[in-house]
Amino acid sequence: MAKRPYPLSKVYGLLEPGPVVLVTTASKGRANIMTMSWHTMMEFEPPLVGCVISGRNASFDTLKATRECAINIPTLELAKQVVGIGNCSGIKVDKFAKFGLTPAAASEVQAPLIAECYASLECRLADTRLVNSYNFFILEVVHAWVDSAVKKPQTLHHRGNGLFAVAGETVKLRSAMK
Amino acid sequence: MAKRPYPLSKVYGLLEPGPVVLVTTASKGRANIMTMSWHTMMEFEPPLVGCVISGRNASFDTLKATRECAINIPTLELAKQVVGIGNCSGIKVDKFAKFGLTPAAASEVQAPLIAECYASLECRLADTRLVNSYNFFILEVVHAWVDSAVKKPQTLHHRGNGLFAVAGETVKLRSAMK
């Protein structure tokens, strides 16, 4: 995929629909990936994203220590990898190798981007006030990449227990909403 | 629609996919509705939901004052109402009347449920620590209702500017993820 820089002002439209995402982190040259569905936009620009990353995930410690990550948005073609990544721990496994994914260098963070995902958001940790209470991290998106050839991404939306709704038809309504 | 009580342990599967929702509030016998897309699950049970409700919305003040609301999940049939509700203010308009929606009594909160929505979650305000910084409210779902006849809800997922992806086909993968 050929991803190009994407305006930060439009990032909300990538995450607001609620897709499952793959969060990448890196520490001491070792990259990891986790599957995440508990996230929300919190501000348009600069884009802020709130997300829950359980302390049971290796990514929790790496994000706390490095204060950087990337949010990568997969589509239907990656459904098996999405679930597989969610079912194993990066402490034991090199998930890029195990799941045949390609790390790509980010521009502003050490965490790698996932080349096979149609969009990637480079993030820095912006607020940790609710980490102790809820494992809730607030991230600022500092750089965004999107494959502009993907017009209607078939994103995955997790209904629990490995059941996903795939983004299907689109409807456009006249709206004053952003 | 005939909604029945729904286990709190399964509520996450309703919101985790990221649907647009309609938030109802009530104060002094006057009900209001707002459209919301910026929400995330924060805990399985009791279910906690984090959400951004802008101070520009009338619902912001009502939620702060009453500490109660309901989250109602609409499907494709209600797309026009979803956008219309997002485009006007409850200060001037009775949105139930204007959009032909039916208020139904909740069991534990004063806010009415929207009968036409396939699921409704009665919520109490649980944490306001991030309201001043981000308009971010943390709600506890205290009672849930779902129309069990709706097996594959065509929920709406907002991509910005009135463009919605509709939940389409489903895929089921073997998963240890909850």
Side-chain angles (χ1 to χ4, degrees):
Chain A
M1 290 195 187
K3 283 185 282 207
R4 294 171 188 279
Y6 192 72
L8 292 180
S9 61
K10 293 170 69 178
V11 161
Y12 77 96
L14 302 172
L15 291 181
E16 184 169 319
V20 170
V21 298
L22 297 172
V23 176
T24 45
T25 50
S27 176
K28 299 173 186 162
R30 184 170 165 81
N32 194 15
I33 317 174
M34 68 165 276
T35 299
M36 179 175 81
S37 265
W38 288 11
H39 60 78
T40 179
M41 289 305 303
M42 293 182 70
E43 186 53 88
F44 286 107
E45 194 172 9
L48 295 180
V49 181
C51 60
V52 176
I53 294 179
S54 161
R56 290 188 302 274
N57 290 289
S59 305
F60 178 93
D61 292 327
T62 312
L63 176 56
K64 270 185 85 168
T66 64
R67 301 182 69 87
E68 293 180 348
C69 68
I71 296 173
N72 306 271
I73 311 179
T75 44
L76 179 58
E77 298 75 21
L78 296 174
K80 283 186 183 172
Q81 287 93 326
V82 164
V83 173
I85 287 165
N87 285 349
C88 65
S89 166
I91 292 172
K92 296 178 184 169
V93 175
D94 175 344
K95 296 198 193 182
F96 275 97
K98 181 177 171 77
F99 295 102
L101 297 172
T102 312
S107 67
E108 301 196 31
V109 300
Q110 293 297 312
L113 314 181
I114 299 175
E116 287 79 6
C117 288
Y118 89 98
S120 292
L121 311 173
E122 301 183 21
C123 300
R124 288 219 181 86
L125 189 49
D127 192 322
T128 59
R129 267 183 283 173
L130 294 192
V131 170
N132 286 345
S133 305
Y134 304 104
N135 297 327
F136 188 75
F137 295 84
I138 301 177
L139 308 171
E140 179 182 337
V141 181
V142 293
H143 205 92
W145 303 88
V146 173
D147 181 350
S148 57
V150 180
K151 299 295 184 197
K152 294 184 176 177
Q154 289 189 292
T155 47
L156 299 162
H157 301 260
H158 191 227
R159 290 199 173 140
N161 297 308
L163 180 67
F164 297 87
V166 182
E169 64 171 310
T170 56
V171 292
K172 179 87 176 86
L173 290 160
R174 191 183 301 260
S175 175
M177 293 159 54
K178 198 170 180 185
Chain B
M1 289 194 188
K3 283 186 283 207
R4 294 172 188 277
Y6 192 72
L8 292 180
S9 61
K10 292 170 71 179
V11 160
Y12 77 96
L14 302 172
L15 292 181
E16 184 169 319
V20 170
V21 299
L22 297 172
V23 177
T24 44
T25 50
S27 176
K28 296 170 188 164
R30 184 170 165 80
N32 194 15
I33 316 175
M34 69 165 276
T35 300
M36 179 174 81
S37 265
W38 288 12
H39 60 77
T40 179
M41 289 305 302
M42 294 183 69
E43 186 53 87
F44 287 107
E45 194 172 9
L48 295 180
V49 181
C51 60
V52 176
I53 294 179
S54 161
R56 292 188 301 273
N57 290 289
S59 305
F60 178 93
D61 292 327
T62 312
L63 176 56
K64 268 184 86 168
T66 64
R67 300 183 69 87
E68 292 180 348
C69 67
I71 295 173
N72 305 271
I73 310 180
T75 43
L76 180 58
E77 299 74 22
L78 296 175
K80 284 186 181 172
Q81 288 94 325
V82 164
V83 173
I85 287 165
N87 285 347
C88 64
S89 167
I91 292 171
K92 296 177 182 168
V93 175
D94 176 342
K95 296 198 191 181
F96 274 97
K98 180 177 172 75
F99 296 101
L101 297 172
T102 312
S107 66
E108 301 196 32
V109 301
Q110 293 298 312
L113 313 181
I114 300 176
E116 288 79 5
C117 288
Y118 89 98
S120 293
L121 311 173
E122 304 183 21
C123 300
R124 289 220 180 86
L125 189 49
D127 192 323
T128 59
R129 268 182 282 173
L130 295 191
V131 170
N132 286 345
S133 306
Y134 304 103
N135 297 325
F136 188 75
F137 295 84
I138 300 177
L139 310 171
E140 179 181 338
V141 180
V142 293
H143 206 93
W145 302 88
V146 172
D147 181 349
S148 57
V150 180
K151 298 294 184 196
K152 294 184 176 179
Q154 289 188 290
T155 47
L156 299 162
H157 300 262
H158 191 227
R159 291 198 173 140
N161 297 307
L163 179 67
F164 297 86
V166 182
E169 62 170 312
T170 56
V171 291
K172 179 87 177 82
L173 291 159
R174 191 184 300 258
S175 176
M177 293 158 55
K178 200 170 177 184

